[in-house]
């Protein structure tokens, strides 16, 4: 990937007003069209250049833009709607955004000794278009999707491009969105399916500038002005779609591993869950557990191991468990379905017009996973292919499947071609959005309000088809820490629900201590699944671990009423797992503590991330109560504690009314009349309500 340099940038200037109506002001700059509008309260849209391909359903139905006023100012124009004003200035093109008269955000002012700007405010590049924004010292920047490193993006070069990351140890990730924001009161979102590079105070470009390059002939930029993080996320999800609410049963435990080799092994494991009284709601069959590996994926059970799938699933359901199965949007060349879909032009094509065949690199799989067969990619831009793929799930649901683990989605190559005229360069990132919305629609068609997916890949708008999980973490303490950061990062990007593989996915079996600590972090997350290569069932890690894990799973189920309350707030974009900058915008000292978070509004969590149980954390300002002892503790300070394996650092905010449900084995034992057993009141009086 060639590095961006100032010499490769051609600044844009020559701003001229073409015309303006009630909703849009149209300009020309450097021979390119430029439009300004105010699509929603607190948001201004700057649309520069021409689209270079098909449109995708990234935006919600916004309706007509707000009425705007257009006037002249020195050096350019002023456009206003509500309490927002945008000065659009010339020579070179740049802007100043004000809210209620106060400057909120503006183009870069980083001057260079030999030229006007170190990086121009707006420019053309060899790959597309570029914009640069001012960053004041000390202002952090958050968002940009699921990233596993430091949550503050200042100093980072972040690439918005979905990849099979094969872990959580680098910048590449499965879920990206070109949406960033600062507690200073601004957010920015690039509506595009294309790759976007963000140099966020990246010192090799400019430590005081946020430069972004979109690999497209159009830069469709939304600037958000708001009072704080919650309002920024609310406005972003108003643009890209409100998060859908997952069903109650989704908050229970999901059990899985890679993989259960036979029906008898799977059924025996499910029976052991109940015998050992491990609360659980969903039993997952991973890819090799229920499919023929040479012909996957074709909506078919492996007939050799599952000659009667409905009888098998009914035995699982008799244990009060739902059945989840793995799928991916590729069709093996070895299955007749490949030729059938190819004949209908329902697969992506190569440059010669033949079905594109994706060949897997077997090296990352090693000996522990079965390499996936050469496969075609379903073309979700074809309306008939989209409809067929959704409908094809109904046969699976008839066989007793309740929910889909929609894996992969990051595989569209740049030289593939779609029915809508786009190539893989534009389709690659948005493909997971089309794929997972299709699966979500299929589930909605069958189960209505009980619909959800368990997805790995995502893009802007993925919050409308919940939920997502965090890929394949390494079995290590660092894998656990990175998973926690990834979940917070995704939540800071407008997607409120997230899970990670308890125990880690690859690298052997975790030791009992790491497993228990991962269980604790998983229980205190939006969603909760045990998964990985090897043993992941609680009884595989010794008697002590089994007892501790059972206690924590019982706590998980007691917290379901609280988690459902969190979902009400998540409908407006607030994540369930809230990073400190989201939860405590008034307490900047907390923002640097990346591995602690608020679970909803009232529970503070600091997971144990090293052997021995030592935890260093910052307790935010205010009065807090230890969840275990109910002793009050004054916040606004850094604390260190040694935590026994049975406990975790868990505090409750003063003034909280924490609903706790009964201890149950599955959510089928909960209903609206018994879901709250105790209402704990936290304050000087304390007690249960």
């Amino acid at each position: 990937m060639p590095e961006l340099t100032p010499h490769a940038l051609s600044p844009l200037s020559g701003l001229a007003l073409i015309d303006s109506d009630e909703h849009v002001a149209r300009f020309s700059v450097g021979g390119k069209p430029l439009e300004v509008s105010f699509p929603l309260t607190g948001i201004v849209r700057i649309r520069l250049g021409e689209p270079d391909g098909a449109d995708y359903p990234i935006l919600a139905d916004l309706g007509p833009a707000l009425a705007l006023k257009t006037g002249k100012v020195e050096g350019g124009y002023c456009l206003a709607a509500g309490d927002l004003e945008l000065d659009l200035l010339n020579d070179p093109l740049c802007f100043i955004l004000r809210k209620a008269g106060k400057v909120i955000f503006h183009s870069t002012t980083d001057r260079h000794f030999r030229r006007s700007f170190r990086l121009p405010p707006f420019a053309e590049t060899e790959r597309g278009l570029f914009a640069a924004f001012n960053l004041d010292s000390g202002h952090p920047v958050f968002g940009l999707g699921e990233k596993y490193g430091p949550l503050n993006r200042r100093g980072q070069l972040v690439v918005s491009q979905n990849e099979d990351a094969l872990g959580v140890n680098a910048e590449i990730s499965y879920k990206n969105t070109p949406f960033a924001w600062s507690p200073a009161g601004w957010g920015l979102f690039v509506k595009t399916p294309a790759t976007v590079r963000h140099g966020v105070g990246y010192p090799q470009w400019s430590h005081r500038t946020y430069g972004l390059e979109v690999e497209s002939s159009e830069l469709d930029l939304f600037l958000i002005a708001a009072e704080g993080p919650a309002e920024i996320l609310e406005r972003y999800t108003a643009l890209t779609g409100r998060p859908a609410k997952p069903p109650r049963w989704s908050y229970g435990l999901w059990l899985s591993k890679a993989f259960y080799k036979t029906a008898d092994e799977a059924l025996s494991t499910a029976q052991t869950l109940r015998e050992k009284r491990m609360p659980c709601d969903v039993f997952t069959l991973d890819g090799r557990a229920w499919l023929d590996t040479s012909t996957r994926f074709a909506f078919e059970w492996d007939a050799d191991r599952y000659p009667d799938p409905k009888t098998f699933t009914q035995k699982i359901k008799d244990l009060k468990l739902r059945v989840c199965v793995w799928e991916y949007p590729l069709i093996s060349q070895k299955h007749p379905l490949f030729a059938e879909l190819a004949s209908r032009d329902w697969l992506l094509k190569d440059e010669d017009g033949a079905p594109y065949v994706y060949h897997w690199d077997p090296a990352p799989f090693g000996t522990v996973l079965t390499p996936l067969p050469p496969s075609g990619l379903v073309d979700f831009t074809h309306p008939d292919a989209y409809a067929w793929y959704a409908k094809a799930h109904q046969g699976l649901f008839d066989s007793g499947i309740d929910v889909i683990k929609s894996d992969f989605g990051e595989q569209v190559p740049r030289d593939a071609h779609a029915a809508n005229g786009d190539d893989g360069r534009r389709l690659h990132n948005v493909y997971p959005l089309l794929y997972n919305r299709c699966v979500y629609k299929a589930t909605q068609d069958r189960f209505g309000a009980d619909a959800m997916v368990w997805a790995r890949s995502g893009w802007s708008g993925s919050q409308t088809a919940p939920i997502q999980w965090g890929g394949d973490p390494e079995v290590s303490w660092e894998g656990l820490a990175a998973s926690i950061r990834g979940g917070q990062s995704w939540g800071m990007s407008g997607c409120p629900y997230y899970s990670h593989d308890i125990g880690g996915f690859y690298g052997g079996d975790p030791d009992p201590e790491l497993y228990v600590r991962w269980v604790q972090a998983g229980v205190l997350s939006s969603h909760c699944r045990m998964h990985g290569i090897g043993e992941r069932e609680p009884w595989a890690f010794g008697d002590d671990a089994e007892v501790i894990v059972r206690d924590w799973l019982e706590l998980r189920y007691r917290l379901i009423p609280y988690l459902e309350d969190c979902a009400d707030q998540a409908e407006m974009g607030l994540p369930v797992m809230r990073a400190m900058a989201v939860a405590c915008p008034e307490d900047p000292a907390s923002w640097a503590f990346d591995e602690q978070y608020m679970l909803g509004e009232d529970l503070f969590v600091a997971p144990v991330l090293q052997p021995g149980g030592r935890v260093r954390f910052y307790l935010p300002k205010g009065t807090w109560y230890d969840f275990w002892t109910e002793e009050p503790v004054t916040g606004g300070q850094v604390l260190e504690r040694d935590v026994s394996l049975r406990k975790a650092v868990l505090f409750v905010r003063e003034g909280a009314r924490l609903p706790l449900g009964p201890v149950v084995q599955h959510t089928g034992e909960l209903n609206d009349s018994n879901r709250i057993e105790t209402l704990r009141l936290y304050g000087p009086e304390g007690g249960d309500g």
Side-chain angles (χ1 to χ4, degrees):
M1 183 183 297
E3 179 62 82
L4 182 75
T5 67
H7 307 291
L9 300 171
S10 301
L12 292 175
S13 60
L15 181 69
L17 178 65
I18 304 301
D19 64 65
S20 178
D21 60 32
E22 183 183 4
H23 301 294
V24 183
R26 301 174 184 86
F27 301 85
S28 174
V29 59
K32 297 182 180 300
L34 186 153
E35 293 184 352
V36 176
S37 61
F38 295 79
L40 297 169
T41 299
I43 301 175
V44 59
R45 184 179 192 177
I46 301 173
R47 196 170 186 179
L48 172 65
E50 298 276 8
D52 54 0
D55 194 22
Y56 291 98
I58 294 172
L59 295 180
D61 183 5
L62 302 180
L66 304 181
L68 63 77
K69 296 179 180 179
T70 303
K72 296 200 72 173
V73 295
E74 184 178 353
Y77 302 87
C78 179
L79 302 103
D83 65 351
L84 288 192
E85 294 179 335
L86 182 78
D87 286 353
L88 202 59
L89 307 173
N90 196 18
D91 295 327
L93 176 67
C94 59
F95 73 86
I96 300 171
L97 179 65
R98 296 182 181 86
K99 177 179 170 62
K102 178 184 176 183
V103 174
I104 297 296
F105 198 48
H106 57 88
S107 295
T108 181
T109 56
D110 182 5
R111 307 282 177 178
H112 193 277
F113 183 74
R114 292 187 178 179
R115 54 184 183 270
S116 296
F117 290 93
R118 190 173 305 277
L119 295 170
F122 288 91
E124 287 188 88
T125 76
E126 294 177 355
R127 294 178 292 216
L129 292 169
F130 176 86
F133 317 101
N134 189 73
L135 290 177
D136 291 337
S137 294
H139 283 184
V141 178
F142 300 106
L144 298 180
E146 173 195 57
K147 299 295 179 182
Y148 311 109
L151 298 180
N152 183 1
R153 304 291 173 232
R154 284 291 292 255
Q156 299 181 29
L157 177 62
V158 178
V159 182
S160 295
Q161 177 165 298
N162 295 333
E163 299 291 352
D164 185 347
L166 299 171
V168 296
N169 299 337
E171 187 274 335
I172 66 170
S173 60
Y174 311 90
K175 294 172 279 296
N176 292 266
T177 177
F179 161 59
W181 57 271
S182 172
W186 59 263
L188 65 85
F189 168 56
V190 183
K191 183 252 177 180
T192 183
T195 297
V196 185
R197 296 170 183 84
H198 311 259
V200 190
Y202 180 56
Q204 284 81 348
W205 293 3
S206 166
H207 66 77
R208 53 169 289 189
T209 299
Y210 181 160
L212 68 81
E213 180 194 32
V214 58
E215 199 173 291
S216 173
S217 60
E218 179 185 50
L219 173 60
D220 195 356
L221 181 66
F222 292 79
L223 303 177
I224 302 172
E227 295 301 324
E231 192 170 70
I232 292 172
L233 292 170
E234 187 275 328
R235 289 180 174 172
Y236 168 73
T237 54
L239 278 176
T240 58
R242 296 297 189 198
K245 186 181 291 188
R248 174 177 294 168
W249 56 263
S250 74
Y251 295 106
L253 175 68
W254 298 53
L255 181 65
S256 179
K257 73 173 185 180
F259 63 104
Y260 299 107
K261 297 179 176 60
T262 66
D264 287 343
E265 181 189 1
L267 185 58
S268 175
T269 301
Q271 290 169 336
T272 304
L273 270 173
R274 294 303 181 221
E275 291 167 1
K276 291 183 173 289
R277 298 196 60 76
M278 293 288 176
C280 186
D281 263 79
V282 185
F283 192 85
T284 301
L285 299 176
D286 217 49
R288 292 173 297 168
W290 73 289
L291 298 168
D292 181 333
T293 56
S294 66
T295 59
R296 58 180 172 176
F297 174 71
F299 298 96
E300 294 177 349
W301 291 78
D302 182 349
D304 291 337
R305 290 180 293 162
Y306 297 92
D308 186 357
K310 197 163 187 177
T311 297
F312 167 78
T313 58
Q314 188 57 52
K315 290 178 180 178
I316 299 291
K317 291 173 181 295
D318 289 343
L319 296 167
K320 307 303 180 185
L321 293 164
R322 295 175 190 261
V323 180
C324 174
V325 297
W326 177 101
E327 74 171 53
Y328 74 151
L330 290 94
I331 309 298
S332 170
Q333 268 191 315
K334 297 181 181 180
H335 195 281
L337 188 58
F338 177 92
E340 179 183 343
L341 298 187
S343 70
R344 297 179 180 179
D345 292 329
W346 290 359
L347 299 175
L348 296 180
K349 296 181 179 181
D350 63 20
E351 293 179 344
D352 296 323
Y356 195 101
V357 178
Y358 193 91
H359 292 273
W360 301 86
D361 176 6
F365 293 92
T367 59
V368 295
L369 292 177
T370 305
L372 295 158
S375 302
L377 294 88
V378 176
D379 186 352
F380 290 105
T381 74
H382 195 303
D384 294 337
Y386 190 99
W388 166 82
Y389 195 86
K391 188 176 180 180
H393 286 83
Q394 301 310 311
L396 296 182
F397 299 146
D398 288 342
S399 72
I401 290 167
D402 300 285
V403 61
I404 300 296
K405 173 187 172 182
S406 47
D407 205 352
F408 290 83
E410 312 94 351
Q411 283 67 42
V412 175
R414 295 174 72 87
D415 56 347
H417 294 266
N420 68 350
D422 270 351
D423 59 21
R425 180 183 60 86
R426 298 193 82 250
L427 182 60
H428 176 92
N429 286 323
V430 80
Y431 189 84
L433 182 65
L434 304 179
Y435 162 42
N436 283 298
R437 280 185 176 170
C438 184
V439 179
Y440 185 56
K441 178 186 184 303
T443 315
Q444 283 181 307
D445 289 345
R446 182 57 169 257
F447 300 114
D450 262 359
M452 64 171 293
V453 296
W454 191 272
R456 185 175 81 174
S457 55
W459 190 247
S460 308
S462 284
Q463 69 273 8
T464 60
I467 72 160
Q468 293 80 39
W469 102 94
D472 302 327
E474 180 184 29
V475 177
S476 67
W477 293 94
E478 286 302 315
L480 170 56
S483 296
I484 291 168
R485 291 191 296 269
Q488 293 182 74
S489 179
W490 189 233
M492 297 174 103
S493 305
C495 300
Y497 304 108
Y498 192 83
S499 179
H500 41 84
D501 290 347
I502 290 175
F505 183 73
Y506 72 93
D509 291 331
D511 62 54
E513 183 183 12
L514 175 58
Y515 179 77
V516 168
R517 295 305 190 189
W518 214 313
V519 167
Q520 293 166 350
V523 161
L524 298 173
S525 298
S526 151
H527 286 73
C528 179
R529 182 181 71 153
M530 297 169 175
H531 185 60
I533 299 170
E535 302 301 320
R536 291 296 181 271
E537 299 83 6
W539 52 88
F541 298 91
D543 293 342
D544 289 345
E546 180 180 334
V547 170
I548 295 170
V549 170
R550 183 185 297 108
D551 289 344
W552 274 88
L553 293 179
E554 290 177 352
L555 174 61
R556 171 72 186 188
Y557 277 73
R558 297 201 72 197
L559 287 170
I560 285 177
Y562 176 73
L563 293 170
E564 289 185 306
D565 291 347
C566 295
D568 291 337
Q569 297 173 328
E571 287 186 288
M572 302 303 283
L574 268 178
V576 176
M577 188 178 178
R578 299 178 191 173
M580 290 292 101
V582 175
C584 306
E586 76 294 338
D587 192 355
S590 70
W591 300 349
F593 288 78
D594 285 353
E595 289 83 33
Q596 63 181 48
Y597 55 92
M598 294 294 296
L599 186 65
E601 192 170 20
D602 293 323
L603 290 179
F604 172 87
V605 182
V608 177
L609 299 176
Q610 62 181 355
R614 188 75 168 170
V615 185
R616 182 177 183 271
F617 59 96
Y618 176 88
L619 193 62
K621 293 177 181 178
T623 300
W624 300 82
Y625 291 83
D626 188 296
F627 178 83
W628 313 105
T629 67
E630 299 194 7
E631 294 177 0
V633 179
T634 300
Q637 60 176 322
V638 176
L639 300 172
E640 292 196 35
R641 292 198 172 184
D642 292 309
V643 185
S644 78
L645 192 59
R646 293 181 176 273
K647 306 295 183 186
V649 173
L650 184 60
F651 287 91
V652 188
R653 187 192 302 275
E654 184 175 53
R657 299 166 58 88
L658 181 65
L660 294 174
V663 173
V664 296
Q665 289 298 294
H666 55 86
T667 56
E669 296 177 353
L670 296 175
N671 55 55
D672 289 341
S673 63
N674 76 347
R675 62 185 285 269
I676 298 177
E677 181 181 72
T678 301
L679 185 64
R680 285 192 187 177
L681 308 179
Y682 288 87
E685 302 301 323
D688 294 339

